Amino acid sequence: MSKIPVIEIFGPTIQGEGMVIGQKTMFVRTSGCDYSCDWCDSAFTWDGSGKHLVQQMDAEEIWEELKAVGGDRFSFVTISGGNPALLKNLNHLIQLLKTNHIKIGLETQGSKWQDWFLEIDDLTLSPKPPSSKMTTDFEILDDIIAQLQQTNNQSFSLKIVVFNEQDFDYAKAIHKRYPGVPFYLQVGNEDIANSDNEKLLSELIGRYEWLIDQVVGDSELNDVKVLPQLHTYVWGNKRGV
Amino acid sequence: MSKIPVIEIFGPTIQGEGMVIGQKTMFVRTSGCDYSCDWCDSAFTWDGSGKHLVQQMDAEEIWEELKAVGGDRFSFVTISGGNPALLKNLNHLIQLLKTNHIKIGLETQGSKWQDWFLEIDDLTLSPKPPSSKMTTDFEILDDIIAQLQQTNNQSFSLKIVVFNEQDFDYAKAIHKRYPGVPFYLQVGNEDIANSDNEKLLSELIGRYEWLIDQVVGDSELNDVKVLPQLHTYVWGNKRGV
Ligand code: SF4
Ligand code: SF4
């Protein structure tokens, strides 16, 4: 069976962000990304620094490892990256998880369609705002959202990370472009190298309050949710928790 | 038109907890409760201390006040208490909000049924654990959940606030009794009089980590969400934000 490049498998823990915030879940992180966001907090998945961690695993091996690590203490698996949507053959893993009654969450920036998107229980599309220095391909994103809406799959959402006012305007434009899609604004973490958790926390909460103020004052962002990254509140910038 | 006892109307702000955590919303808080939980953070709605704040308002007056305070900056209204489920005549307000395309969230402990439960977009049932010193009437709760499930209204959830191990066991029993219902565990705030926000925050995050550890280690709580009260992270114990 074809191999999937896996950079870490851990859990169970809590999903710290987005549409299933708080969910008890295992994580499978795949390596490789077609973007290189300025503030990427998972750069080790694509910049070479985590190369030694990558294991080529088939779906059965991933499932065995999930059970070895998580025992019977999970019923939800989150697939993250990098950009897992680069991997056409993820469908094997997705089928295997579904056969075992596991719910699946997945996040991608929306730069590439995969047919298996339709099998994901909670799919987050997170196009990247100007501060990332990446450019959104709206032709592709329009197409992805149209396909998801067409199949009446309502378990997907848009999530925009906001670092500054330009990003906030970008978020507004995205919400306007796709008005019916559940919409999340998330506070950006500007300080991904900070290991002083107390200082980090007070910065992050200050940024969260700023973002809430922006949204609360804006009549073009009404039916939206504003969330922090909860895992950074609890564990700071530590990885694999 | 019949009057509703309202103790505060404020917003827009962010819903800090539960199934619509992060949602931009207005709040309407009604007065009166049939419980008197040991750690109630809204005791001013029922213990007499907020008596001077109560206004008897009809649905139209509440809607006018919502617009006066929130302008065009909201499309979601959260009705909280006290226990708003004591008020049969809330149906007038609910109809009026729906006519104006406003989504509605509401929380109750599940001690009383109202037919208008079926009109609520996001209904949270939050039965109270042993630390509250209240006793759950399971005959009523069973009946409420059966009625909600019968009508195929899937936009309701159970939320249990957990202060200690006994509460945790209660949460497990509730999840077991109603296995199909979306299930939230929430960290209890033991320190509702603390105005030292920094100290409060570090306590609350410590309690959140404890609760995550309990859930992560327990195979009887798998498809669940574990959440803090985000508003206390941002605003401490301040009211009306
Ligand atoms: S799309 Fe995600 S993983 Fe890829 S570079 Fe950007 S933030 Fe990092
Ligand atoms: S049910 Fe809610 S409002 Fe009533 S006493 Fe308990 S915590 Fe307070």
Side-chain angles (χ1 to χ4, degrees):
Chain A
M1 208 187 255
S2 65
K3 302 284 189 177
I4 297 160
V6 174
I7 202 157
E8 53 181 359
I9 291 176
F10 63 95
T13 183
I14 297 301
Q15 167 62 271
E17 54 185 68
M19 68 194 292
V20 282
I21 191 165
Q23 175 72 44
K24 183 177 177 184
T25 181
M26 298 293 293
F27 278 89
V28 175
R29 194 189 288 280
T30 63
S31 83
C33 191
D34 45 335
Y35 274 23
S36 53
C37 299
D38 220 36
W39 35 252
C40 178
D41 61 1
S42 312
F44 69 105
T45 64
W46 54 263
D47 69 359
S49 64
K51 218 175 163 182
H52 57 291
L53 300 170
V54 178
Q55 290 194 54
Q56 301 291 336
M57 300 170 85
D58 65 28
E60 277 292 351
E61 287 167 336
I62 295 172
W63 175 234
E64 289 307 321
E65 178 70 6
L66 282 166
K67 284 189 293 182
V69 176
D72 60 351
R73 293 173 295 117
F74 70 98
S75 64
F76 196 107
V77 170
T78 302
I79 303 172
S80 68
N83 181 11
L86 298 178
L87 305 166
K88 191 177 169 57
N89 65 350
L90 260 188
N91 63 335
H92 297 127
L93 176 62
I94 290 160
Q95 286 318 322
L96 189 57
L97 292 174
K98 289 183 93 79
T99 306
N100 287 281
H101 310 293
I102 302 291
K103 282 198 209 167
I104 307 167
L106 188 137
E107 178 173 325
T108 175
Q109 70 266 46
S111 59
K112 196 173 169 22
W113 168 263
Q114 292 290 354
D115 287 340
W116 50 251
F117 280 6
L118 301 173
E119 308 293 323
I120 304 296
D121 295 287
D122 297 288
L123 178 67
T124 299
L125 300 175
S126 189
K128 302 305 172 190
S131 64
S132 71
K133 309 244 172 84
M134 298 294 114
T135 310
T136 305
D137 185 331
F138 280 103
E139 218 169 298
I140 294 175
L141 190 60
D142 285 354
D143 182 58
I144 289 175
I145 289 178
Q147 287 202 60
L148 290 170
Q149 284 179 323
Q150 208 174 308
T151 50
N152 215 9
N153 181 344
Q154 277 313 298
S155 61
F156 77 100
S157 69
L158 280 159
K159 184 183 79 178
I160 309 297
V161 181
V162 174
F163 285 84
N164 57 35
E165 264 138 59
Q166 261 184 302
D167 292 356
F168 185 72
D169 291 340
Y170 174 87
K172 281 170 67 168
I174 295 276
H175 182 52
K176 204 167 184 176
R177 192 176 184 108
Y178 312 109
V181 180
F183 193 78
Y184 293 77
L185 294 111
Q186 178 174 302
V187 188
N189 178 0
E190 276 176 319
D191 213 5
I192 53 174
N194 194 339
S195 59
D196 178 344
N197 286 355
E198 216 164 301
K199 194 161 158 276
L200 179 67
L201 182 61
S202 99
E203 273 175 30
L204 289 173
I205 289 180
R207 298 300 295 165
Y208 183 37
E209 197 170 1
W210 171 80
L211 185 55
I212 292 173
D213 285 345
Q214 299 298 111
V215 171
V216 156
D218 200 310
S219 62
E220 287 173 46
L221 290 169
N222 279 345
D223 192 13
V224 303
K225 295 195 173 88
V226 191
L227 288 172
Q229 293 179 298
L230 276 181
H231 49 285
T232 57
Y233 284 18
V234 181
W235 296 297
N237 285 317
K238 208 173 142 198
R239 212 157 82 197
V241 278
Chain B
M1 207 187 255
S2 63
K3 300 284 188 176
I4 297 160
V6 174
I7 202 158
E8 53 181 358
I9 291 176
F10 63 94
T13 182
I14 297 302
Q15 168 61 273
E17 55 185 69
M19 68 193 292
V20 282
I21 191 166
Q23 176 72 45
K24 183 178 177 184
T25 183
M26 297 295 290
F27 278 88
V28 175
R29 193 188 290 279
T30 62
S31 82
C33 192
D34 45 335
Y35 275 22
S36 54
C37 300
D38 220 35
W39 35 251
C40 178
D41 62 359
S42 312
F44 69 105
T45 64
W46 54 264
D47 69 359
S49 65
K51 218 174 165 184
H52 57 292
L53 300 170
V54 179
Q55 291 193 53
Q56 300 291 338
M57 300 171 84
D58 66 27
E60 276 293 349
E61 286 167 337
I62 295 173
W63 175 234
E64 289 308 319
E65 178 70 5
L66 281 166
K67 284 189 294 182
V69 176
D72 60 349
R73 293 174 295 118
F74 69 98
S75 64
F76 196 106
V77 170
T78 301
I79 303 172
S80 68
N83 181 11
L86 298 179
L87 305 166
K88 191 178 168 58
N89 64 350
L90 260 187
N91 64 334
H92 297 128
L93 176 62
I94 290 161
Q95 287 316 324
L96 188 57
L97 292 174
K98 290 183 93 79
T99 307
N100 286 282
H101 311 292
I102 302 292
K103 282 198 208 167
I104 307 167
L106 187 138
E107 178 174 324
T108 176
Q109 70 265 45
S111 59
K112 195 172 169 22
W113 169 264
Q114 292 289 354
D115 287 339
W116 50 251
F117 280 7
L118 301 173
E119 307 295 322
I120 303 297
D121 294 288
D122 297 290
L123 177 67
T124 298
L125 300 175
S126 188
K128 303 305 172 191
S131 65
S132 71
K133 309 245 172 82
M134 298 293 115
T135 309
T136 306
D137 185 330
F138 279 103
E139 218 170 297
I140 294 174
L141 191 59
D142 285 355
D143 182 58
I144 290 176
I145 289 179
Q147 287 202 59
L148 290 169
Q149 283 180 324
Q150 208 174 308
T151 50
N152 216 7
N153 181 345
Q154 277 313 297
S155 62
F156 76 99
S157 69
L158 280 159
K159 185 183 78 176
I160 309 295
V161 180
V162 174
F163 284 84
N164 56 35
E165 264 137 60
Q166 260 185 303
D167 292 356
F168 186 72
D169 290 339
Y170 174 87
K172 280 169 68 171
I174 295 276
H175 183 51
K176 207 168 182 176
R177 191 176 184 106
Y178 312 108
V181 180
F183 192 79
Y184 293 76
L185 295 111
Q186 178 174 302
V187 188
N189 177 0
E190 276 175 321
D191 212 6
I192 53 173
N194 194 338
S195 59
D196 179 344
N197 286 354
E198 216 164 301
K199 194 164 158 275
L200 178 67
L201 182 60
S202 99
E203 272 175 31
L204 289 173
I205 288 180
R207 298 299 296 165
Y208 183 37
E209 197 170 0
W210 171 80
L211 185 56
I212 291 172
D213 285 346
Q214 298 299 110
V215 172
V216 156
D218 200 310
S219 61
E220 287 173 45
L221 290 168
N222 280 344
D223 193 14
V224 303
K225 295 195 172 90
V226 191
L227 288 172
Q229 294 179 298
L230 275 180
H231 49 285
T232 57
Y233 285 17
V234 181
W235 296 297
N237 285 318
K238 207 172 141 198
R239 212 157 83 198
V241 279

